[in-house]
Amino acid sequence: VNISALFYYAESDTFLRYCTIEDIDENGIPELLIGVSNGIDGLYFCDMVTFNGEKIIKLFDESNYVYGRKKELFLSTDGIFIIRSDEGEKGLKTEFYKLSSDGWHVEFIESISYKMDDSGQKDYYRNKNGEYKISWELYSLILEEYPISAVDDNCMIKKVSNK
């Protein structure tokens, strides 16, 4: 668990902690998903952990984790999950992951993003073995490959605490 992020938000009464347990890869071992919200800006994904029968396994590597940018977490099909990261006024990044076959590691599939320049022009990108520019049409097709499952409010993290 990203303890530093949770301690930071635990100091503030304005943030609510959320979590849910979901067997994303349907291997019989559920994953615990943790998030926080101030009630205004949506839910921020903090972390995901699982249990290997002996200990808790942290699924996201700290070196790839940027707190405050992992904003929305969604389920797709076949155990794939989607993290949509708000890049502010300049863009949006959508990452596609799955759990490894042993269920104890996160595997990156690919990501797509758009970036807006100062003139308002959007450029679209795909990152699959390297980032490269793509068309709006390909960007849209990739989004269609990973449909978001119907979950309450589309976000799989549920409220569990008022503090």
Side-chain angles (χ1 to χ4, degrees):
V1 175
N2 189 338
I3 297 296
S4 62
L6 290 179
F7 281 140
Y8 173 77
Y9 283 107
E11 294 172 3
S12 171
D13 290 335
T14 60
F15 280 84
L16 305 175
R17 282 173 258 172
Y18 295 74
C19 69
T20 192
I21 295 175
E22 185 79 32
D23 188 2
I24 294 174
D25 56 355
E26 299 178 354
N27 67 352
I29 302 170
E31 289 71 42
L32 172 66
L33 295 101
I34 303 164
V36 296
S37 174
N38 64 3
I40 298 169
D41 297 321
L43 277 164
Y44 289 88
F45 171 61
C46 293
D47 221 333
M48 185 180 341
V49 297
T50 191
F51 185 70
N52 72 358
E54 296 177 13
K55 63 181 181 175
I56 293 174
I57 304 291
K58 183 173 172 35
L59 294 170
F60 277 94
D61 176 5
E62 287 295 325
S63 66
N64 294 327
Y65 186 83
V66 180
Y67 185 73
R69 291 293 186 198
K70 308 282 189 209
K71 187 169 182 179
E72 297 173 297
L73 178 63
F74 303 93
L75 275 180
S76 187
T77 55
D78 300 324
I80 293 171
F81 53 99
I82 301 165
I83 296 176
R84 196 162 44 204
S85 306
D86 185 355
E87 302 289 326
E89 294 178 9
K90 297 293 182 182
L92 182 73
K93 183 175 187 178
T94 305
E95 302 166 283
F96 306 98
Y97 294 91
K98 65 179 178 176
L99 293 179
S100 61
S101 59
D102 63 12
W104 303 332
H105 303 92
V106 172
E107 295 177 352
F108 174 78
I109 300 170
E110 67 178 307
S111 70
I112 55 174
S113 61
Y114 70 80
K115 298 173 186 173
M116 194 176 318
D117 64 22
D118 292 335
S119 71
Q121 173 67 36
K122 282 185 184 178
D123 291 319
Y124 299 90
Y125 297 89
R126 181 180 200 177
N127 185 346
K128 189 172 188 174
N129 302 319
E131 185 176 73
Y132 50 93
K133 202 169 181 179
I134 60 173
S135 67
W136 159 249
E137 292 80 15
L138 181 55
Y139 180 92
S140 298
L141 286 172
I142 294 168
L143 277 177
E144 289 175 16
E145 285 180 39
Y146 304 99
I148 293 174
S149 297
V151 182
D152 295 340
D153 297 326
N154 283 340
C155 191
M156 56 189 294
I157 300 178
K158 309 289 191 291
K159 178 178 174 184
V160 295
S161 172
N162 285 328
K163 295 214 175 203

Short mmCIF file of all heavy atoms in Angstrom, two decimals, residues 74-120:
data_model
loop_
_atom_site.label_atom_id
_atom_site.label_comp_id
_atom_site.label_asym_id
_atom_site.label_seq_id
_atom_site.Cartn_x
_atom_site.Cartn_y
_atom_site.Cartn_z
N PHE A 74 -11.07 1.42 -13.85
CA PHE A 74 -12.23 0.74 -14.42
C PHE A 74 -11.88 -0.71 -14.74
O PHE A 74 -10.72 -1.02 -15.04
CB PHE A 74 -12.67 1.41 -15.73
CG PHE A 74 -12.99 2.86 -15.60
CD1 PHE A 74 -12.02 3.82 -15.83
CD2 PHE A 74 -14.26 3.27 -15.26
CE1 PHE A 74 -12.31 5.17 -15.73
CE2 PHE A 74 -14.57 4.62 -15.16
CZ PHE A 74 -13.59 5.57 -15.39
N LEU A 75 -12.87 -1.57 -14.71
CA LEU A 75 -12.71 -2.94 -15.19
C LEU A 75 -13.10 -2.99 -16.65
O LEU A 75 -14.03 -2.33 -17.08
CB LEU A 75 -13.63 -3.89 -14.43
CG LEU A 75 -13.14 -4.46 -13.12
CD1 LEU A 75 -14.20 -5.37 -12.55
CD2 LEU A 75 -11.83 -5.20 -13.30
N SER A 76 -12.39 -3.83 -17.39
CA SER A 76 -12.76 -4.10 -18.77
C SER A 76 -13.10 -5.59 -18.84
O SER A 76 -13.56 -6.16 -17.85
CB SER A 76 -11.61 -3.73 -19.72
OG SER A 76 -12.04 -3.85 -21.07
N THR A 77 -12.86 -6.22 -19.94
CA THR A 77 -13.14 -7.65 -20.10
C THR A 77 -11.87 -8.46 -19.91
O THR A 77 -10.76 -7.94 -19.97
CB THR A 77 -13.72 -7.92 -21.51
OG1 THR A 77 -12.81 -7.40 -22.48
CG2 THR A 77 -15.07 -7.25 -21.68
N ASP A 78 -12.01 -9.76 -19.67
CA ASP A 78 -10.89 -10.70 -19.58
C ASP A 78 -9.83 -10.30 -18.56
O ASP A 78 -8.63 -10.48 -18.77
CB ASP A 78 -10.23 -10.88 -20.95
CG ASP A 78 -11.20 -11.42 -21.99
OD1 ASP A 78 -12.06 -12.25 -21.62
OD2 ASP A 78 -11.11 -11.02 -23.15
N GLY A 79 -10.26 -9.75 -17.41
CA GLY A 79 -9.33 -9.41 -16.34
C GLY A 79 -8.48 -8.19 -16.62
O GLY A 79 -7.52 -7.92 -15.90
N ILE A 80 -8.82 -7.44 -17.63
CA ILE A 80 -8.07 -6.22 -17.96
C ILE A 80 -8.66 -5.07 -17.16
O ILE A 80 -9.87 -4.98 -16.97
CB ILE A 80 -8.15 -5.93 -19.47
CG1 ILE A 80 -7.40 -7.03 -20.24
CG2 ILE A 80 -7.58 -4.56 -19.80
CD1 ILE A 80 -7.59 -6.98 -21.73
N PHE A 81 -7.79 -4.20 -16.66
CA PHE A 81 -8.28 -3.00 -16.00
C PHE A 81 -7.64 -1.78 -16.63
O PHE A 81 -6.59 -1.85 -17.25
CB PHE A 81 -8.10 -3.05 -14.48
CG PHE A 81 -6.72 -3.34 -14.00
CD1 PHE A 81 -5.88 -2.33 -13.59
CD2 PHE A 81 -6.27 -4.65 -13.92
CE1 PHE A 81 -4.61 -2.61 -13.14
CE2 PHE A 81 -5.00 -4.94 -13.46
CZ PHE A 81 -4.17 -3.92 -13.07
N ILE A 82 -8.34 -0.68 -16.48
CA ILE A 82 -8.00 0.56 -17.16
C ILE A 82 -7.77 1.63 -16.11
O ILE A 82 -8.57 1.79 -15.19
CB ILE A 82 -9.17 0.99 -18.08
CG1 ILE A 82 -9.48 -0.08 -19.10
CG2 ILE A 82 -8.87 2.34 -18.74
CD1 ILE A 82 -10.82 0.10 -19.80
N ILE A 83 -6.67 2.35 -16.25
CA ILE A 83 -6.41 3.50 -15.39
C ILE A 83 -6.37 4.73 -16.28
O ILE A 83 -5.58 4.81 -17.21
CB ILE A 83 -5.10 3.35 -14.60
CG1 ILE A 83 -5.20 2.16 -13.66
CG2 ILE A 83 -4.80 4.64 -13.83
CD1 ILE A 83 -3.94 1.85 -12.91
N ARG A 84 -7.28 5.66 -15.99
CA ARG A 84 -7.33 6.90 -16.75
C ARG A 84 -6.74 8.01 -15.89
O ARG A 84 -7.20 8.24 -14.78
CB ARG A 84 -8.77 7.21 -17.14
CG ARG A 84 -8.88 8.24 -18.22
CD ARG A 84 -10.21 8.26 -18.92
NE ARG A 84 -11.33 8.17 -18.00
CZ ARG A 84 -12.53 7.72 -18.36
NH1 ARG A 84 -12.76 7.32 -19.58
NH2 ARG A 84 -13.51 7.67 -17.49
N SER A 85 -5.71 8.66 -16.40
CA SER A 85 -4.97 9.67 -15.65
C SER A 85 -5.19 11.04 -16.26
O SER A 85 -4.91 11.24 -17.43
CB SER A 85 -3.47 9.35 -15.67
OG SER A 85 -3.23 8.05 -15.23
N ASP A 86 -5.63 11.95 -15.45
CA ASP A 86 -5.85 13.31 -15.88
C ASP A 86 -4.51 14.03 -15.92
O ASP A 86 -3.79 14.09 -14.93
CB ASP A 86 -6.78 14.00 -14.89
CG ASP A 86 -7.17 15.39 -15.29
OD1 ASP A 86 -6.66 15.90 -16.30
OD2 ASP A 86 -8.01 15.96 -14.59
N GLU A 87 -4.15 14.54 -17.07
CA GLU A 87 -2.90 15.29 -17.23
C GLU A 87 -3.17 16.79 -17.19
O GLU A 87 -2.43 17.58 -17.75
CB GLU A 87 -2.24 14.90 -18.56
CG GLU A 87 -1.95 13.41 -18.71
CD GLU A 87 -0.81 12.95 -17.82
OE1 GLU A 87 0.13 13.73 -17.60
OE2 GLU A 87 -0.86 11.82 -17.32
N GLY A 88 -4.27 17.17 -16.56
CA GLY A 88 -4.63 18.59 -16.49
C GLY A 88 -5.23 19.06 -17.80
O GLY A 88 -5.78 18.27 -18.57
N GLU A 89 -5.12 20.33 -18.08
CA GLU A 89 -5.68 20.91 -19.31
C GLU A 89 -4.95 20.43 -20.55
O GLU A 89 -5.43 20.62 -21.66
CB GLU A 89 -5.61 22.43 -19.24
CG GLU A 89 -6.50 23.02 -18.17
CD GLU A 89 -6.37 24.53 -18.11
OE1 GLU A 89 -5.74 25.14 -19.00
OE2 GLU A 89 -6.92 25.11 -17.16
N LYS A 90 -3.80 19.83 -20.37
CA LYS A 90 -2.96 19.46 -21.51
C LYS A 90 -3.20 18.05 -22.03
O LYS A 90 -2.59 17.66 -23.02
CB LYS A 90 -1.48 19.61 -21.15
CG LYS A 90 -1.10 21.04 -20.83
CD LYS A 90 -1.18 21.90 -22.06
CE LYS A 90 -0.76 23.32 -21.78
NZ LYS A 90 -0.87 24.18 -22.91
N GLY A 91 -4.06 17.24 -21.38
CA GLY A 91 -4.29 15.93 -21.95
C GLY A 91 -4.86 14.90 -20.99
O GLY A 91 -5.20 15.20 -19.85
N LEU A 92 -4.95 13.69 -21.49
CA LEU A 92 -5.51 12.56 -20.77
C LEU A 92 -4.76 11.31 -21.21
O LEU A 92 -4.49 11.12 -22.40
CB LEU A 92 -7.00 12.40 -21.11
CG LEU A 92 -7.75 11.29 -20.40
CD1 LEU A 92 -7.98 11.66 -18.94
CD2 LEU A 92 -9.09 11.06 -21.09
N LYS A 93 -4.40 10.46 -20.25
CA LYS A 93 -3.70 9.21 -20.56
C LYS A 93 -4.56 8.05 -20.08
O LYS A 93 -5.08 8.08 -18.97
CB LYS A 93 -2.34 9.19 -19.86
CG LYS A 93 -1.52 7.96 -20.17
CD LYS A 93 -0.15 8.08 -19.53
CE LYS A 93 0.76 6.96 -19.96
NZ LYS A 93 2.10 7.13 -19.37
N THR A 94 -4.72 7.03 -20.92
CA THR A 94 -5.48 5.84 -20.58
C THR A 94 -4.55 4.64 -20.72
O THR A 94 -4.03 4.38 -21.80
CB THR A 94 -6.70 5.69 -21.51
OG1 THR A 94 -7.48 6.89 -21.45
CG2 THR A 94 -7.56 4.52 -21.10
N GLU A 95 -4.34 3.94 -19.59
CA GLU A 95 -3.43 2.79 -19.56
C GLU A 95 -4.23 1.50 -19.39
O GLU A 95 -5.20 1.47 -18.65
CB GLU A 95 -2.45 2.93 -18.39
CG GLU A 95 -1.62 4.20 -18.45
CD GLU A 95 -0.93 4.48 -17.15
OE1 GLU A 95 -1.61 4.95 -16.21
OE2 GLU A 95 0.28 4.20 -17.07
N PHE A 96 -3.76 0.45 -20.06
CA PHE A 96 -4.42 -0.84 -20.01
C PHE A 96 -3.47 -1.86 -19.39
O PHE A 96 -2.33 -1.99 -19.83
CB PHE A 96 -4.85 -1.27 -21.41
CG PHE A 96 -5.69 -0.23 -22.10
CD1 PHE A 96 -5.11 0.65 -23.01
CD2 PHE A 96 -7.04 -0.11 -21.83
CE1 PHE A 96 -5.87 1.62 -23.63
CE2 PHE A 96 -7.80 0.87 -22.44
CZ PHE A 96 -7.22 1.73 -23.36
N TYR A 97 -3.94 -2.56 -18.36
CA TYR A 97 -3.13 -3.52 -17.62
C TYR A 97 -3.88 -4.83 -17.47
O TYR A 97 -5.10 -4.89 -17.61
CB TYR A 97 -2.84 -3.02 -16.20
CG TYR A 97 -1.98 -1.80 -16.12
CD1 TYR A 97 -2.53 -0.52 -16.11
CD2 TYR A 97 -0.60 -1.91 -16.03
CE1 TYR A 97 -1.74 0.60 -16.01
CE2 TYR A 97 0.21 -0.78 -15.92
CZ TYR A 97 -0.37 0.47 -15.91
OH TYR A 97 0.42 1.58 -15.81
N LYS A 98 -3.15 -5.87 -17.11
CA LYS A 98 -3.74 -7.13 -16.67
C LYS A 98 -2.84 -7.69 -15.59
O LYS A 98 -1.68 -7.29 -15.45
CB LYS A 98 -3.87 -8.11 -17.83
CG LYS A 98 -2.56 -8.58 -18.41
CD LYS A 98 -2.77 -9.57 -19.54
CE LYS A 98 -1.42 -9.98 -20.11
NZ LYS A 98 -1.55 -11.00 -21.13
N LEU A 99 -3.39 -8.60 -14.81
CA LEU A 99 -2.58 -9.28 -13.82
C LEU A 99 -1.85 -10.42 -14.49
O LEU A 99 -2.36 -11.05 -15.42
CB LEU A 99 -3.45 -9.80 -12.68
CG LEU A 99 -4.08 -8.73 -11.81
CD1 LEU A 99 -4.93 -9.35 -10.72
CD2 LEU A 99 -3.03 -7.83 -11.19
N SER A 100 -0.64 -10.70 -14.01
CA SER A 100 0.14 -11.82 -14.57
C SER A 100 -0.57 -13.13 -14.28
O SER A 100 -1.50 -13.20 -13.48
CB SER A 100 1.54 -11.82 -13.94
OG SER A 100 1.43 -12.00 -12.54
N SER A 101 -0.13 -14.20 -14.92
CA SER A 101 -0.79 -15.50 -14.77
C SER A 101 -0.74 -15.99 -13.32
O SER A 101 -1.64 -16.70 -12.88
CB SER A 101 -0.18 -16.53 -15.71
OG SER A 101 1.21 -16.66 -15.44
N ASP A 102 0.28 -15.61 -12.55
CA ASP A 102 0.32 -16.01 -11.15
C ASP A 102 -0.53 -15.10 -10.27
O ASP A 102 -0.78 -15.38 -9.10
CB ASP A 102 1.76 -16.07 -10.61
CG ASP A 102 2.49 -14.73 -10.62
OD1 ASP A 102 1.84 -13.69 -10.80
OD2 ASP A 102 3.72 -14.75 -10.44
N GLY A 103 -1.01 -13.97 -10.83
CA GLY A 103 -1.88 -13.06 -10.11
C GLY A 103 -1.17 -12.14 -9.15
O GLY A 103 -1.81 -11.42 -8.39
N TRP A 104 0.16 -12.09 -9.16
CA TRP A 104 0.91 -11.31 -8.17
C TRP A 104 1.70 -10.17 -8.78
O TRP A 104 2.48 -9.52 -8.08
CB TRP A 104 1.85 -12.22 -7.39
CG TRP A 104 1.12 -13.34 -6.71
CD1 TRP A 104 -0.18 -13.35 -6.29
CD2 TRP A 104 1.63 -14.63 -6.42
NE1 TRP A 104 -0.50 -14.56 -5.75
CE2 TRP A 104 0.60 -15.38 -5.80
CE3 TRP A 104 2.86 -15.24 -6.61
CZ2 TRP A 104 0.76 -16.67 -5.38
CZ3 TRP A 104 3.02 -16.55 -6.17
CH2 TRP A 104 1.98 -17.25 -5.58
N HIS A 105 1.52 -9.91 -10.07
CA HIS A 105 2.22 -8.81 -10.73
C HIS A 105 1.27 -8.14 -11.72
O HIS A 105 0.39 -8.78 -12.27
CB HIS A 105 3.44 -9.32 -11.50
CG HIS A 105 4.40 -10.08 -10.66
ND1 HIS A 105 4.34 -11.43 -10.51
CD2 HIS A 105 5.44 -9.66 -9.90
CE1 HIS A 105 5.31 -11.82 -9.70
NE2 HIS A 105 5.98 -10.77 -9.31
N VAL A 106 1.50 -6.86 -11.95
CA VAL A 106 0.74 -6.12 -12.95
C VAL A 106 1.55 -6.09 -14.23
O VAL A 106 2.75 -5.82 -14.21
CB VAL A 106 0.47 -4.68 -12.45
CG1 VAL A 106 -0.14 -3.84 -13.54
CG2 VAL A 106 -0.42 -4.71 -11.23
N GLU A 107 0.90 -6.39 -15.34
CA GLU A 107 1.56 -6.34 -16.65
C GLU A 107 0.94 -5.23 -17.49
O GLU A 107 -0.27 -5.19 -17.67
CB GLU A 107 1.42 -7.68 -17.37
CG GLU A 107 2.13 -8.82 -16.67
CD GLU A 107 1.94 -10.16 -17.37
OE1 GLU A 107 1.13 -10.25 -18.32
OE2 GLU A 107 2.57 -11.13 -16.93
N PHE A 108 1.78 -4.36 -17.98
CA PHE A 108 1.35 -3.27 -18.86
C PHE A 108 1.03 -3.86 -20.24
O PHE A 108 1.82 -4.63 -20.78
CB PHE A 108 2.48 -2.25 -18.97
CG PHE A 108 2.23 -1.15 -19.94
CD1 PHE A 108 1.39 -0.10 -19.62
CD2 PHE A 108 2.84 -1.15 -21.18
CE1 PHE A 108 1.17 0.94 -20.52
CE2 PHE A 108 2.63 -0.13 -22.08
CZ PHE A 108 1.79 0.92 -21.76
N ILE A 109 -0.12 -3.50 -20.79
CA ILE A 109 -0.49 -3.94 -22.14
C ILE A 109 -0.13 -2.84 -23.13
O ILE A 109 0.64 -3.05 -24.07
CB ILE A 109 -1.98 -4.28 -22.24
CG1 ILE A 109 -2.34 -5.41 -21.26
CG2 ILE A 109 -2.35 -4.66 -23.67
CD1 ILE A 109 -3.83 -5.63 -21.11
N GLU A 110 -0.73 -1.68 -22.93
CA GLU A 110 -0.47 -0.53 -23.78
C GLU A 110 -1.14 0.69 -23.17
O GLU A 110 -1.90 0.57 -22.20
CB GLU A 110 -0.95 -0.74 -25.20
CG GLU A 110 -2.46 -0.83 -25.37
CD GLU A 110 -2.87 -0.99 -26.82
OE1 GLU A 110 -2.44 -0.18 -27.66
OE2 GLU A 110 -3.62 -1.95 -27.10
N SER A 111 -0.88 1.85 -23.74
CA SER A 111 -1.58 3.06 -23.32
C SER A 111 -1.84 3.94 -24.54
O SER A 111 -1.18 3.80 -25.56
CB SER A 111 -0.76 3.84 -22.27
OG SER A 111 0.38 4.42 -22.86
N ILE A 112 -2.84 4.78 -24.38
CA ILE A 112 -3.12 5.80 -25.39
C ILE A 112 -3.26 7.12 -24.64
O ILE A 112 -3.57 7.15 -23.46
CB ILE A 112 -4.38 5.49 -26.21
CG1 ILE A 112 -5.59 5.28 -25.31
CG2 ILE A 112 -4.16 4.29 -27.12
CD1 ILE A 112 -6.90 5.11 -26.05
N SER A 113 -3.01 8.19 -25.35
CA SER A 113 -3.12 9.50 -24.72
C SER A 113 -3.37 10.56 -25.77
O SER A 113 -3.19 10.32 -26.96
CB SER A 113 -1.85 9.84 -23.94
OG SER A 113 -0.74 9.88 -24.80
N TYR A 114 -3.82 11.69 -25.31
CA TYR A 114 -3.81 12.85 -26.17
C TYR A 114 -3.15 13.98 -25.41
O TYR A 114 -3.19 14.05 -24.18
CB TYR A 114 -5.21 13.23 -26.68
CG TYR A 114 -6.15 13.80 -25.66
CD1 TYR A 114 -6.08 15.13 -25.27
CD2 TYR A 114 -7.16 13.02 -25.12
CE1 TYR A 114 -6.96 15.67 -24.36
CE2 TYR A 114 -8.06 13.54 -24.20
CZ TYR A 114 -7.94 14.86 -23.82
OH TYR A 114 -8.81 15.38 -22.92
N LYS A 115 -2.52 14.84 -26.16
CA LYS A 115 -1.85 16.00 -25.60
C LYS A 115 -2.30 17.20 -26.40
O LYS A 115 -2.39 17.13 -27.63
CB LYS A 115 -0.33 15.83 -25.68
CG LYS A 115 0.15 14.63 -24.87
CD LYS A 115 1.62 14.35 -25.07
CE LYS A 115 1.98 13.07 -24.35
NZ LYS A 115 3.33 12.64 -24.61
N MET A 116 -2.58 18.27 -25.69
CA MET A 116 -3.06 19.48 -26.35
C MET A 116 -1.97 20.55 -26.28
O MET A 116 -1.41 20.80 -25.21
CB MET A 116 -4.34 19.98 -25.67
CG MET A 116 -5.08 21.00 -26.48
SD MET A 116 -6.66 21.52 -25.74
CE MET A 116 -7.39 20.03 -25.16
N ASP A 117 -1.69 21.17 -27.41
CA ASP A 117 -0.70 22.25 -27.41
C ASP A 117 -1.38 23.58 -27.04
O ASP A 117 -2.59 23.62 -26.81
CB ASP A 117 0.06 22.32 -28.73
CG ASP A 117 -0.82 22.67 -29.93
OD1 ASP A 117 -1.91 23.26 -29.74
OD2 ASP A 117 -0.41 22.38 -31.06
N ASP A 118 -0.61 24.62 -26.98
CA ASP A 118 -1.13 25.93 -26.56
C ASP A 118 -2.20 26.48 -27.50
O ASP A 118 -3.03 27.29 -27.10
CB ASP A 118 0.02 26.94 -26.44
CG ASP A 118 0.93 26.60 -25.28
OD1 ASP A 118 0.47 25.93 -24.33
OD2 ASP A 118 2.11 26.99 -25.32
N SER A 119 -2.21 26.02 -28.74
CA SER A 119 -3.22 26.50 -29.69
C SER A 119 -4.53 25.70 -29.62
O SER A 119 -5.48 26.02 -30.30
CB SER A 119 -2.67 26.44 -31.12
OG SER A 119 -2.56 25.09 -31.55
N GLY A 120 -4.55 24.63 -28.79
CA GLY A 120 -5.74 23.80 -28.67
C GLY A 120 -5.74 22.59 -29.58
O GLY A 120 -6.69 21.81 -29.59
#
